[in-house]
Each structure stands twice: as C-alpha cells, then as structure tokens.
Amino acid sequence: MRWLYRSIWIVAALGLLMLHLLVTDALHQQPRHRVQDEMQVYLPRSAQLVSAAGDRYLAANFAVFRAFMVGTHQLQPSTYVVLANLQRDASYFNPGHEDNYYVAAAVLPWNDQVEATQTILANTQLGRPTDALPAFLYGFNQLHFLQDPVGAAKTLQLAAARMPDADTRTSLEAIASRWVTQGDLDEASRLLRIMATQTRDKAFRAYLEKRIARVDLLKQLRMAVAKWQSERGGVPTLEAMVARGYLAGMPVDPLGAEIVLDQQGNPLAVAKKARGGQ
Amino acid sequence: MMLTSSHILATWRSGVRGRSFHAVFALGIMLLLCAWLAASFSARQPQAVALDVGLSGIRIGLTLLSLMWVQELVSKEIDRRTVFFVLAYPAPRASYLLGRYLGVMALATAATILLGVTLALIVRLAGGDYQQIHSTLIGWPYVASLAMILLDIALVTAFAFCLASFATSALLPLTLGFGFAIGARALGPVIDFLARGADGDPEFAARYSPIINMVRWFLPDLDRLDLRTWPLYGVAPEWEAVALAALAALVYTGMLLGIAVAAFNRRTFA
C-alpha cells in the first residue's frame, strides 16, 4: 500500500514537471505584446507639479527625463505634440534647464513643432541670460523654419548686446550678418554638426548625425535642381533627374522619410504618415 | 532658558539614538543613487542634473525627516502620555515646545550638512570624464541654497509643531505637514503661471487669480527660498527678493510657533 502511494506521488511529481516544461515552452513561443513606449499621456502642469511634491525643478527634470526616454526614432506626429507640451512645461518650471532646450531645439522644430520650440527657447533666454546658444537657436529657427532672416539677425544682435564677453558678442554679430546673406541649409548643417559634437548621449548623437546627412542630402538635391533649371529650365522630377544623370540614384532619407520635390522644385523630406518636417 | 536648552539636548539625544539618523543614512544612499542615475539621463549637463535632482532630494527628504521627528518626539510623547513627566516640572510649557523645536532644527541642520557634503561629492563624480560647458558652482552659491532649504524646513517644521500642539492624532502633523509643504512650494509656480496669462487662457486666469491672491496671504511662498539657479547656472538671485523671502519665512515661522505655544498652554491633557 505504501509502495502504491509513493508511486502515485512520483508519477504526479513527474507529470507536473512535464507539464511545467511543456507550458513554459509553449508560453515562450507565444508572441510578446510590446507596450507602446511612445509618449501618449500628457499631465496638466498642476498635476506635474504636485507629483513632484511641489518642487518645480524636480517637475522640470521629470518632464525632461520623459522626453529623453521617448527615444530618437521616427515617432508618431501626436507624440511630437505631447513632447512639445511637456518640454514647454519644463521650460516654465525651470527656464534654465540646459538639456531641455538643447533636445527641444534638436527634435521639435524638425517635426512641425516650431512654435513650441520658440516658446521654450524664449523662456530659456530669460533663465540663462549669459548663454548665447538659446538665442542662436531661436534665431536659427527664424531663419530656417520661419524664413525670416532679418528677424533672425535681429535676435542675434539683441543677444549679442547681452553677452558679457567681447568674443561672444563679435561672433554673434558675425553670424547675424552671414544669416542675412547665406542659405539656410548651410547654416543648418553647421549647427547640427556643432550640436552633435557637444552631446555625450550616443543615441542622441547618432540621431543628430542622421539629421546632418538629411540636410546634406537636401543641399545636394537643391544644387542638382538648380543645375537642371539653368541647363534645361522647368521643374524636374526625381526620376527624370536620375535618368538624365543629374543624380546618381533615387535619394534615400536617412531618417526614413520620403524625399520629394515640391511644385517649385524645392526638395523636401516628407514624413510617411503626415506631411511635415524637412 | 536653561530648561529650553536641556530640552534641545534631550531632543538631540533622542533623535541621534533613535532610528532617525539611520533614516538620514538611508536617505543619503538613496540620494546618491538618484542623483547619480539622473546624471546619466543628461546629454550636456550631468553635473547640473545631479545637483538639481540632489537638491530636490534633500528638500523632500529633509521635509519627511523633520515631520517624522515631530511625530516621534512630540506627537507620540503626547499620545503615550510620557509628556506628563516633563510637564510636571515647575516650568513653562513653552520651554518644552520651543526646546523640542530647536532640537528638531539642530537635527535637521546636521542632516543638511551630511546630505549636502554627500551631494557635493556626487556632483564632482557625476558625468565621468565629460566636462559640461557651463560648470556648476559648488561653493558659496551651493551653501546659500542649502541654508535657504533649511529655512524652508524650519517653516514646515513650525507648521507641524503648530498642529502637534493641539492635534489628538499623531499622524496629523505628518500628513497635513507634507500637504502644506507641497502647497507652499507649488504656490510660486502657480502665481507665475497665472501672471503669464495661464497659457493664453484669460478666462482661466481671471477665474483663479482672485482665489490665489487670497491664498497667498495664508500660505507662504516657499518657492522664493529656492536659490538653486545660482549654483546650477550661475544666475545670482536678486538679493532684495531673497532678503524679503527670508524675512517673510522667519515672520511666518514666528507666528506659527506663537500659535503653537498658545495652543499648547491652553491644552487640557486627559
């Protein structure tokens, strides 16, 4: 009788072990539903403040950490709206936050969030009165995104007057005069290169390098279109330019967007789901 | 005077012998970890982020610690009736209450120094080899920021003492004290938000501005005592505003302690 009980126990234990192995293996084969890591939730500013125990600097840090955790891959347009709101709030909580304005300037205006970026940079100029970069970035956005070289130069001249050292003042005034005369893509490429060398975050640097590659690509396309127009006249298509040897091949955007020519022949990078960005 | 100093000493000893200093140590380790981890989130200013998060940690941590000390060294003494032995001496009740308050503040000062030194070390080490372009100022600007945090804690502690002087529950000073600290620290950003036009919503600003204007007479603006933009970004505060904020905090603390003494003197212990 005892022998029978012991046998039943051993069979039951072996059965459970087998079942465990089978279930574990079957579970491992099942597809894993990924949690959507893009930012979709935006808390009102008062809730952000309370969740940081009333400490506005901590609230700013929480917002910037969230912005960092979103990643640098191609995001949904709605995510950029949330990101812009969050970073704008951070600039109100702590106008001096360096990472906030830096990341905002590198990501947001390139994704249809120019107005929010300008608000962030305007706040930052108040919070960091001796830092020339926020004014420079604000002016750059006026030049590149808002097509306002005169306004951009004025911003730099006003910022130059506030700078404590003569070297920075002279540099800003030199850039202001260059902006009135030179193309925006040259400046965009130069700015992105500076930003990429100054960051310590590898993923962020890689993202900026892709942006540089896109700007360089758009610059080359612009030159090729200008050459076509001087030699043949009219507005070409990308396919025609490849066929006639003006381009080595169809342009591929490093950030995954689609490269198109608008009706005037200006090259643009268009997001695949929503139109925006350059 | 003598009695007050003996109460300060007794509070200090109780605090040091109790678990509170273990809590300070644990808080220090947590602070170290949080500030260190926060620095790794930064693309350009790891030292500034470590300092920023660390100062927030010190501010919140010290608030919790001082409220726990009030709960442990005053509210629970009343709860357990051990306060009767002290009050049986022919001495004013105020000497007990003020002695306890100054004792808690001595503990808070020691904790501030300990956490402040720890944080300064973390900031030096944060970011590894990366040298951020705008360096943080770990000197007098940092000391001034810590001193103002201590003043903030002194006010919140006085509020908790005020509650403890008449509360029948030992939990009330801890919970309401923390709520008071959150409200008082958030008041400044809320006033600022409304003054800027509530993000272009004049209706919202018009509706809430009168309420906030009323609240600011009762709730102190502790955000004014936060000077961290000075050590973080080298933006020195406006000294007139700082002096006024410090004076306002001292006056408010004095009023709270006055109410606490009056309530404690009138309190009937069953």
Side-chain angles (χ1 to χ4, degrees):
Chain A
M1 206 58 179
R2 202 185 219 184
W3 177 86
L4 184 66
Y5 277 130
R6 195 173 285 175
S7 303
I8 291 169
W9 273 112
I10 290 169
V11 169
L14 282 172
L16 278 174
L17 185 66
M18 286 292 289
L19 192 64
H20 164 74
L21 293 173
L22 284 170
V23 169
T24 305
D25 187 51
L27 185 63
H28 186 69
Q29 306 299 327
Q30 290 292 313
R32 199 177 288 270
H33 289 289
R34 306 244 176 249
V35 175
Q36 186 164 10
D37 57 352
E38 287 193 10
M39 191 168 4
Q40 297 294 345
V41 180
Y42 167 70
L43 284 175
R45 209 177 294 171
S46 52
Q48 291 180 53
L49 197 56
V50 171
S51 62
D55 188 323
R56 67 187 171 101
Y57 295 94
L58 191 60
N61 278 318
F62 283 160
V64 176
F65 294 161
R66 276 192 75 194
F68 257 110
M69 286 164 78
V70 170
T72 47
H73 54 286
Q74 195 67 38
L75 304 172
Q76 298 288 330
S78 61
T79 306
Y80 287 115
V81 176
V82 175
L83 195 63
N85 282 334
L86 203 64
Q87 292 202 255
R88 187 166 41 199
D89 288 351
S91 79
Y92 282 120
F93 288 138
N94 180 4
H97 205 296
E98 195 171 349
D99 285 327
N100 188 44
Y101 85 78
Y102 199 71
V103 173
V107 175
L108 297 178
W110 307 89
N111 293 287
D112 283 349
Q113 300 299 324
V114 180
E115 195 187 332
T117 315
Q118 295 299 75
T119 307
I120 293 164
L121 291 170
N123 286 343
T124 310
Q125 285 178 66
L126 297 174
R128 304 176 67 87
T130 55
D131 187 353
L133 194 56
F136 174 77
L137 294 167
Y138 187 94
F140 171 77
N141 291 344
Q142 284 176 296
L143 173 77
H144 185 70
F145 296 104
L146 304 173
Q147 308 297 323
D148 178 15
V150 178
K154 267 187 193 159
T155 301
L156 278 202
Q157 280 161 346
L158 286 173
R162 286 201 310 269
M163 291 305 125
D165 64 301
D167 285 349
T168 314
R169 276 200 299 272
T170 314
S171 307
L172 287 176
E173 276 162 5
I175 297 168
S177 62
R178 201 170 66 212
W179 277 1
V180 183
T181 53
Q182 278 188 7
D184 59 324
L185 286 180
D186 278 336
E187 205 53 49
S189 174
R190 192 176 297 125
L191 170 69
L192 290 167
R193 272 183 224 294
I194 293 167
M195 291 179 87
T197 53
Q198 285 183 352
T199 185
R200 64 193 278 272
D201 187 310
K202 285 178 186 162
F204 190 54
R205 188 182 302 134
Y207 168 77
L208 289 173
E209 278 162 0
K210 282 183 187 171
R211 281 246 163 252
I212 295 165
R214 174 188 279 183
V215 170
D216 288 346
L217 177 68
L218 293 175
K219 225 164 62 180
Q220 284 168 14
L221 284 173
R222 205 183 261 187
M223 281 160 62
V225 171
K227 194 177 170 204
W228 173 290
Q229 285 174 333
S230 68
E231 289 174 7
R232 295 171 174 271
V235 177
T237 61
L238 288 173
E239 290 78 8
M241 287 172 76
V242 174
R244 305 261 178 190
Y246 284 82
L247 293 175
M250 283 300 281
V252 179
D253 180 51
L255 285 162
E258 193 182 343
I259 301 290
V260 295
L261 295 181
D262 70 5
Q263 289 177 343
Q264 282 78 43
N266 294 316
L268 296 172
V270 183
K272 282 183 177 158
K273 281 201 173 173
R275 291 192 164 253
Q278 190 185 128
Chain B
M1 191 66 187
M2 280 287 285
L3 271 167
T4 305
S5 59
S6 67
H7 284 306
I8 297 173
L9 203 63
T11 310
W12 171 266
R13 282 179 181 153
S14 305
V16 173
R17 281 176 197 155
R19 288 179 187 163
S20 51
F21 258 81
H22 298 157
V24 175
F25 184 72
L27 192 73
I29 300 286
M30 268 175 60
L31 177 73
L32 195 140
L33 278 174
C34 287
W36 183 271
L37 286 174
S40 63
F41 274 96
S42 176
R44 259 168 75 91
Q45 47 156 16
Q47 289 97 348
V49 170
L51 181 59
D52 195 357
V53 173
L55 283 172
S56 294
I58 289 180
R59 205 177 180 208
I60 297 167
L62 279 179
T63 307
L64 287 171
L65 269 178
S66 61
L67 292 175
M68 269 166 24
W69 280 324
V70 175
Q71 188 191 28
E72 199 63 37
L73 303 172
V74 181
S75 301
K76 282 194 176 167
E77 279 209 351
I78 296 171
D79 240 20
R80 291 179 196 134
R81 313 275 193 266
T82 46
V83 73
F84 292 174
F85 301 112
V86 184
L87 297 183
Y89 285 98
R93 287 182 177 187
S95 66
Y96 166 78
L97 205 68
L98 294 178
R100 285 289 190 212
Y101 176 76
L102 293 174
V104 168
M105 284 317 299
L107 288 166
T109 307
T112 307
I113 294 168
L114 201 69
L115 294 174
V117 171
T118 312
L119 180 60
L121 290 173
I122 297 163
V123 172
R124 290 253 182 258
L125 298 173
D129 296 335
Y130 181 82
Q131 267 306 311
Q132 65 179 59
I133 295 166
H134 306 278
S135 55
T136 49
L137 306 175
I138 304 289
W140 285 113
Y142 179 56
V143 173
S145 296
L146 288 177
M148 282 301 180
I149 287 178
L150 198 58
L151 188 55
D152 170 312
I153 299 299
L155 193 150
V156 174
T157 309
F159 180 79
F161 263 82
C162 191
L163 291 176
S165 65
F166 61 79
T168 49
S169 157
L171 210 60
L172 196 74
L174 180 71
T175 50
L176 275 189
F178 196 61
F180 171 82
I182 292 176
R185 286 167 191 166
L187 182 65
V190 172
I191 291 173
D192 196 35
F193 173 68
L194 292 173
R196 284 166 180 257
D199 266 355
D201 187 350
E203 211 174 286
F204 184 91
R207 196 183 318 144
Y208 289 102
S209 291
I211 299 170
I212 294 297
N213 268 332
M214 185 88 85
V215 168
R216 73 183 174 83
W217 292 107
F218 301 102
L219 200 61
D221 184 356
L222 292 184
D223 181 59
R224 293 274 196 184
L225 296 177
D226 201 329
L227 305 187
R228 78 180 81 178
T229 52
W230 196 15
L232 282 177
Y233 314 122
V235 180
E238 286 173 24
W239 292 111
E240 195 185 335
V242 174
L244 276 175
L247 185 64
L250 286 171
V251 170
Y252 199 94
T253 305
M255 286 195 306
L256 286 172
L257 288 176
I259 296 168
V261 168
F264 200 63
N265 279 338
R266 284 161 192 265
R267 185 165 180 167
T268 312
F269 293 99

